[in-house]
Amino acid sequence: MKDALYGELTVIGMRGCEKFVSQVDAYLKEWRRHDNEETFVAQAECPRFGSGEAKGMLHESLRGHDVYIISDCFNHGVTYKMYGKTVPMSPDEHFADLKRVIAAIGGKARRISVVMPMLYEGRQHKRSGRESLDCAVALQELINMGVSNFITFDAHDPRVQNAIPLAGFDNVRSSYQMLKALVHNYPDIDFNKDKIMVVSPDEGAMARCIYYSSMLKIDLGMFYKRRNYSIIVNGKNPIEAHEYLGRDLQGMDVIIADDMIASGDSVIDVAKQLKERGAARIFVFSTFGLFTAGMEALDKAYEEGLFTRIFTTNLVYQTPELLSREWYGDVNMCKYVAYLIDTLNHDESISSLLDQSKRIHKLVDAHNARK
């Protein structure tokens, strides 16, 4: 690393990110200060009035600093009081608090970067008929407030960056960390193309699954969603069936890769069909585990042997109940985020960090050599 910094490094963790930011800070201190007294974290808060209104507050000057704000807009574990009632924070409220903190900085920072692992309104990235383009509007709003760069992970559709063509937008993969967790937890995994394959749960996940297929040199299958476009349920056209396209699965391990698990219904349906086709172990890679419908259905599916393990990252809120599940595998991304922040603060390219191919090949080669 070069010694010259873009500006004095400051990391701000929005509410709900305290544990994640603490780990990021620990790595930065280990690499750069080697003591336990100082911190790169600046204290910011958004206190609320009894009516639910709020304001952003900083407790130190950030003039000339290189600021990285880490925000998890999907942390429903954060609550506040409104008219005496305890209310969980919605993505909209997390986003509003992010803007409040940026406003509190007041244009004094030398550069502001937002680390938003799961992009706010990322699923509302394109228009079909008379509807809003929420993600594009949100990105433009933050740019107008002074944000220079966005770091996000496995964006639902990274083409949404076209809404801010003159700003930085880095879409980071979690593929290497997923495979590393798989190898660590299942040392008997065999990456021979006759023993394992990757399956895309739908058309939208194909690019992600093609990447795994190419890196591991294994075959690729896919499901496509047959939807009922005549009705809308919970804001979307319901899925009537998942249709499979691909080679014979008899006796093969399968990796299902997607960007997120919402209710988990699609994962269960896909896993059931794979099992009916003779698949052996089924591993699910999902960068973001939301589990919006609870975990009872997944508990039942696991008991029935429909899948072996679900891996998701700690980039979004993980409930204590989720972490206690036998079928759940946690993929820690704090060190990776710390690398990104440290490199950018030195005003260096993060291309080598974004390109995970060499690390994946090294991981697989080392694993194969041990077998």
Side-chain angles (χ1 to χ4, degrees):
M1 291 287 184
K2 298 176 182 177
D3 291 332
L5 302 178
Y6 188 85
E8 185 175 342
L9 175 60
T10 295
V11 179
I12 295 176
M14 300 302 297
R15 283 194 68 191
C17 298
E18 294 85 358
K19 182 179 178 181
F20 189 95
V21 169
S22 176
Q23 292 186 53
V24 170
D25 186 45
Y27 282 116
L28 292 170
K29 288 192 296 183
E30 177 185 345
W31 299 336
R32 295 167 68 163
R33 287 185 175 167
H34 307 287
D35 62 57
N36 296 317
E37 301 301 324
E38 298 182 80
T39 177
F40 290 101
V41 178
Q43 297 304 313
E45 59 178 323
C46 294
R48 290 185 178 268
F49 303 100
S51 62
E53 298 168 289
K55 62 180 178 180
M57 296 177 62
L58 290 175
H59 299 288
E60 58 190 274
S61 172
L62 298 182
R63 184 180 295 276
H65 286 217
D66 188 17
V67 180
Y68 296 82
I69 306 176
I70 300 178
S71 174
D72 174 13
C73 288
F74 298 85
N75 192 330
H76 59 92
V78 179
T79 61
Y80 65 92
K81 289 283 189 178
M82 184 171 68
Y83 292 97
K85 299 178 182 178
T86 300
V87 181
M89 285 185 66
S90 70
D92 291 346
E93 290 166 314
H94 280 291
F95 184 69
D97 276 1
L98 171 62
K99 292 190 292 182
R100 291 182 175 109
V101 168
I102 295 171
I105 294 173
K108 303 300 191 298
R110 184 175 183 188
R111 180 173 65 183
I112 298 176
S113 299
V114 169
V115 182
M116 187 182 288
M118 185 171 175
L119 203 56
Y120 171 73
E121 291 290 354
R123 285 183 284 181
Q124 190 53 30
H125 62 283
K126 61 182 179 181
R127 175 175 285 155
S128 300
R130 299 182 183 92
E131 58 186 36
S132 57
L133 286 169
D134 294 48
C135 190
V137 170
L139 291 174
Q140 291 179 350
E141 191 171 6
L142 293 180
I143 289 297
N144 291 334
M145 293 186 71
V147 174
S148 301
N149 187 53
F150 294 91
I151 300 172
T152 191
F153 285 76
D154 286 318
H156 194 69
D157 189 340
R159 289 175 296 183
V160 73
Q161 67 184 285
N162 293 338
I164 49 168
L166 301 181
F169 186 99
D170 295 304
N171 182 41
V172 187
R173 297 180 186 270
S174 60
S175 311
Y176 168 72
Q177 287 79 9
M178 288 288 182
L179 290 169
K180 186 177 179 181
L182 176 64
V183 167
H184 175 75
N185 286 276
Y186 297 91
D188 64 326
I189 198 75
D190 191 341
F191 290 114
N192 186 301
K193 67 180 298 183
D194 293 322
K195 299 291 185 179
I196 191 171
M197 67 180 294
V198 61
V199 171
S200 175
D202 55 35
E203 309 94 307
M206 274 300 288
R208 187 172 296 104
C209 292
I210 288 172
Y211 182 79
Y212 279 108
S213 174
S214 301
M215 288 296 101
L216 299 175
K217 296 181 173 61
I218 59 178
D219 290 332
L220 172 67
M222 72 164 289
F223 284 86
Y224 67 90
K225 294 175 180 177
R226 180 153 51 82
R227 295 182 180 271
N228 185 345
Y229 288 98
S230 64
I231 59 174
I232 296 177
V233 178
N234 294 328
K236 58 186 179 181
N237 303 108
I239 300 168
E240 292 189 333
H242 288 90
E243 305 289 352
Y244 176 70
L245 298 172
R247 64 170 288 184
D248 179 40
L249 295 164
Q250 190 64 43
M252 297 188 69
D253 289 337
V254 175
I255 295 172
I256 303 172
D258 207 352
D259 60 336
M260 74 178 73
I261 295 176
S263 66
D265 291 343
S266 292
V267 165
I268 293 172
D269 188 32
V270 166
K272 183 177 181 181
Q273 291 206 44
L274 292 173
K275 280 294 185 180
E276 289 173 352
R277 289 171 168 81
R281 294 178 296 182
I282 295 177
F283 304 102
V284 180
F285 291 173
S286 180
T287 309
F288 310 112
L290 304 182
F291 305 103
T292 56
M295 286 164 278
E296 290 76 13
L298 288 163
D299 289 338
K300 183 180 178 183
Y302 177 70
E303 291 170 3
E304 294 173 354
L306 294 186
F307 63 88
T308 301
R309 203 72 173 267
I310 293 178
F311 293 95
T312 76
T313 72
N314 64 335
L315 292 168
V316 293
Y317 175 58
Q318 300 161 300
T319 64
E321 293 77 17
L322 174 63
L323 294 171
S324 70
R325 291 305 199 267
E326 182 181 358
W327 48 261
Y328 179 68
D330 176 31
V331 180
N332 192 312
M333 301 293 288
C334 294
K335 190 173 186 178
Y336 193 20
V337 170
Y339 273 132
L340 292 166
I341 291 174
D342 185 56
T343 304
L344 288 170
N345 181 234
H346 282 88
D347 207 23
E348 294 186 342
S349 171
I350 59 173
S351 296
S352 61
L353 292 173
L354 299 180
D355 182 5
Q356 299 190 339
S357 57
K358 291 182 179 179
R359 277 173 289 166
I360 291 175
H361 289 148
K362 184 178 179 180
L363 173 70
V364 173
D365 290 344
H367 174 70
N368 291 337
R370 288 193 297 266
K371 291 182 65 65

